[in-house]
Amino acid sequence: MGHLLSKNGYRLNKRTRKLHHRKKKKRNCFLQGPCMLCFIVHGNSGGLDDDDSDQFETGVNGGGRGRCHSNAGGTGIGSTSKLAGRYAALTSPEDCAKFLLSPRELAIWEGQGRSLLSAVPAKLIPPPALFRSAGIPVPIAVAVSVPGSASDYAEMVCKRKCAEVQRCTPCKQPRCAFPVPEGGVEDGGGGGSGDASSNSGTGHCHLCPLPSSSSSSSSSVEGCCGMALHGDPLPQSSDSSPCCPHHHDDCQGRGSDVIDTSSINRLPSSILLKVFSHLSVKERCLCASLVCKYWRDLCLDFQFWKQIDLSGLQQVNDDLLVKIASRRQNVTELNISDCRGVQDHGVCSLAAHCPGLQRYTAYRCKQLSDLSLSSLALHCPLLAKVHVGNQDKLTDDALKKLGEHSSELKDIHLGQCYSITDEGMVALSKGCPKLQRIYMQENKLVTDKSVRAFAEHCPELQFVGFMGCSVTSLGVIHLTGLRNLSSLDLRHISELNNETVMEVVRKCRNLSSLNLCLNWSINDRCVEIIAKEGRSLKELYLVSCKITDHALIAIGQYSSTIETVDAGWCKEITDQGATQIARSSKSLRYLGLMRCDKVNEETVERLVVQYPHIVFSTVMQDCKRTLERAYQMGWSPNTSNAS
């Protein structure tokens, strides 16, 4: 089957032609060359080139005439010629399996095999690309190891006889496949490791062994599902046939298990996009996108650039915003908080190219002025959220632009913008009737006029905060007309009386959170009315208010909805108030007693054990919880001291 010149029947010796006279069966070798056994028996000990190929052919076909170039004597040459003749007469795998070598023939073969193996001309073995490009099943050669005894004769059978492997469908090899060490990947059997190591030293190419003729076609296909993990100069398919010599380590050993070298890139792109969605912009741009081109394309997917969070990145400047705006015009959310390198030019450019922008956040960007916010209002009609706290250069002009062009605005945060006055706030309230959240903090130029304007022109308000503003009870009383009000922040209001607070609680039936911290005018009577009238109230903050144990007892006695009570820094709270509210309240889940010096720590320890469903906040209890979380995360005092 594997005879070098089997295509030319006239060159065969007479004995071979006589044997094939009855059965004229053409044995066409796909590789245009002999099998390994024919090379070993008839090959030359020296290298063969184009000039002496005729001499090689003559030595093969005229074994009895002494033309075979080997180191053995005349008797060995005649025996090897007989061996070649017997082997060439075989026509079926069964005959090949029954082909046995006598001990004398085996000794002759073993003596010549090692030196003649290097005589195989590389040009006679076509490249592996032929196997993948062929449209029909291809018979493939297999490397035969040098046996040590006659028991290994079965491995010398030419497996190209009647053995076919179906062609595998090629697929794209991911660029990020990691190379495998020289030792190869872990294989299912150890039969091929010795051959691989012994032949690697001679510099010969290895051909992957094929499954036996009795195995099904499906197992043959599964055997070639290995990835090209070695450094090939040509890109290999992840599902290509293992006929390539570089895949010897992936498919080594006769009858070994199939090696699963699947990559993460085999997952659907939708799953990878879901994984990448949990990464920040910095992690996607500086880490994931640098792995391979496929990951870079996934990181540039439009869904990752709809919501851009660049907060805290000092490398961000106007040029980056211009590039984002020019390439990604579907941006809906932008966060540039603490980006000191961003100027008005970058924000204006992004606003001009992204008309669909809906949410804009820029805390502590003191370098930005009215120009950026005015450009957003002019080019982004869908703008619904603007958080620009702590911007000193922001004035009423920007608020007037928002009132003129941003009728869809629903959420605005202007805390610590000290240049804003009632003029800008009134214009904003008139132009944004859909406003639902307004938060001001330490805006000393904002007075009751602004509170009244929002209460009249923005009936959908749900969250209102005027912490530290120049607001009095005359302005707060107008909030009673807000039927949808659910959260009210009135911290540090200098002129706030108890009657106004009680009236707001009575009229605003949906109020769930009330913050009255730092108001010394709030007393026990006001808290009692709040507990009685606040049917939907769940959170009540009374830090540094003028209350005693009677306020806590009233909350536990009259309220069935309040879950959070913070009475920190109230100097008149004692053990009695803490014990009574914990005992009588059915809904309480958090009780803040920070710096309530008249509450003993032993009492708090007893309450923690007695009422485990309530979180008690004191200095000692907070320290214990912090230490507990540190232990759960793996922290230990020994490692801390060592570091």
Side-chain angles (χ1 to χ4, degrees), residues 128-158:
L130 294 177
F131 301 120
R132 295 190 296 271
S133 61
I136 59 175
V138 178
I140 303 171
V142 60
V144 180
S145 60
V146 179
S149 62
S151 62
D152 296 334
Y153 73 93
E155 301 299 332
M156 297 171 56
V157 178
C158 181

Side-chain angles (χ1 to χ4, degrees), residues 193-231:
S193 59
D195 298 340
S197 59
S198 61
N199 295 333
S200 60
T202 60
H204 298 295
C205 296
H206 302 275
L207 296 179
C208 297
L210 300 177
S212 60
S213 57
S214 61
S215 61
S216 61
S217 60
S218 61
S219 62
S220 302
V221 175
E222 293 175 357
C224 46
C225 292
M227 293 180 60
L229 300 181
H230 299 281

Side-chain angles (χ1 to χ4, degrees), residues 409-412 432-439 454-455 457-466 479-490 504 508-515 537 539:
L409 190 62
K410 297 180 180 180
D411 185 2
I412 189 167
C432 303
K434 298 182 180 180
L435 202 62
Q436 298 179 359
R437 296 174 62 92
I438 172 69
Y439 183 78
F454 281 106
H457 298 99
C458 303
E460 299 182 9
L461 275 174
Q462 300 177 7
F463 180 92
V464 176
F466 288 96
L479 298 178
T480 55
L482 300 176
R483 302 302 180 186
N484 297 325
L485 186 64
S486 61
S487 180
L488 182 59
D489 188 353
L490 298 176
V504 170
C508 301
R509 309 302 297 179
N510 294 324
L511 190 65
S512 61
S513 178
L514 180 60
N515 197 330
L537 196 63
E539 299 176 359

